[in-house]
Amino acid sequence: MGAGVMKKADSGARRRRGGKRHGVMAEINVTPMVDVMLVLLIIFMVAAPMMTVGVPLELPKTAARAVPTEQEEPLTISLQKDGTVSLMNSPVEETDLVGQLRAISAERASDKVYLRADGGIEYAHVVQVMGALNSGGFNNIILVTDTGGPQLTGKAPGGN
């Protein structure tokens, strides 16, 4: 019916002493790299929610939009209901606040600061801390609030 041609087992591959083939390996095994990347992805997905500022506050609600994110980690000042002032996560005496802010503003490229104040704090105390922030070299103060608050139109959020 038909004739076949038999080829040698080494089919043109050159053999050196000892019978081993030596050649350039042109393949990269990416399986270990993918495994490592998936593990890192899972670690960052679990750790990212824990990296937020940890001072618990009951923020006032407003209808304002969210502020775009920055390259640098934002400096955050928190005012708790009991009057404690926190710089990032560590409590600070109000008398030391301006000095620490001046030292921080000399090192930072941005003059933005996020002010988080509990909804039960007196307005006068919030304004005093804003004055300290201004004296410390931070002129771009962003007030942090929760979304879903009342709008000035008198309509409930999400209502018609």
Side-chain angles (χ1 to χ4, degrees):
M1 300 224 178
V5 179
M6 296 282 282
K7 291 187 177 183
K8 290 185 178 179
D10 62 354
S11 67
R14 297 184 182 228
R15 293 185 176 255
R16 298 182 188 218
R17 282 187 236 166
K20 296 181 183 177
R21 288 190 212 178
H22 294 284
V24 178
M25 183 177 165
E27 298 175 4
I28 297 175
N29 189 1
V30 295
T31 304
M33 182 182 68
V34 170
D35 290 344
V36 169
M37 295 305 291
L38 287 174
V39 168
L40 288 174
L41 177 68
I42 290 170
I43 288 171
F44 285 119
M45 285 173 56
V46 170
M50 296 179 204
M51 296 172 68
T52 59
V53 177
V55 179
L57 297 174
E58 187 176 320
L59 296 172
K61 297 189 181 306
T62 118
R65 292 178 290 141
V67 176
T69 58
E70 298 180 31
Q71 300 289 347
E72 195 173 37
E73 181 182 2
L75 180 65
T76 305
I77 304 292
S78 301
L79 302 174
Q80 298 177 20
K81 195 170 189 174
D82 64 358
T84 306
V85 178
S86 297
L87 181 60
M88 299 302 275
N89 285 333
S90 52
V92 175
E93 292 293 325
E94 289 187 23
T95 55
D96 300 335
L97 184 62
V98 175
Q100 288 186 9
L101 288 171
R102 285 184 181 154
I104 292 171
S105 70
E107 297 175 5
R108 293 179 64 89
S110 173
D111 67 341
K112 278 187 184 178
V113 63
Y114 290 84
L115 180 59
R116 301 173 69 230
D118 193 284
I121 294 227
E122 291 184 20
Y123 180 67
H125 190 222
V126 175
V127 172
Q128 289 170 357
V129 172
M130 289 175 71
L133 290 171
N134 194 313
S135 298
F138 291 95
N139 299 322
N140 194 350
I141 302 170
I142 298 169
L143 299 174
V144 179
T145 60
D146 278 339
T147 58
Q151 298 177 357
L152 293 179
T153 60
K155 296 179 183 177
N160 293 329

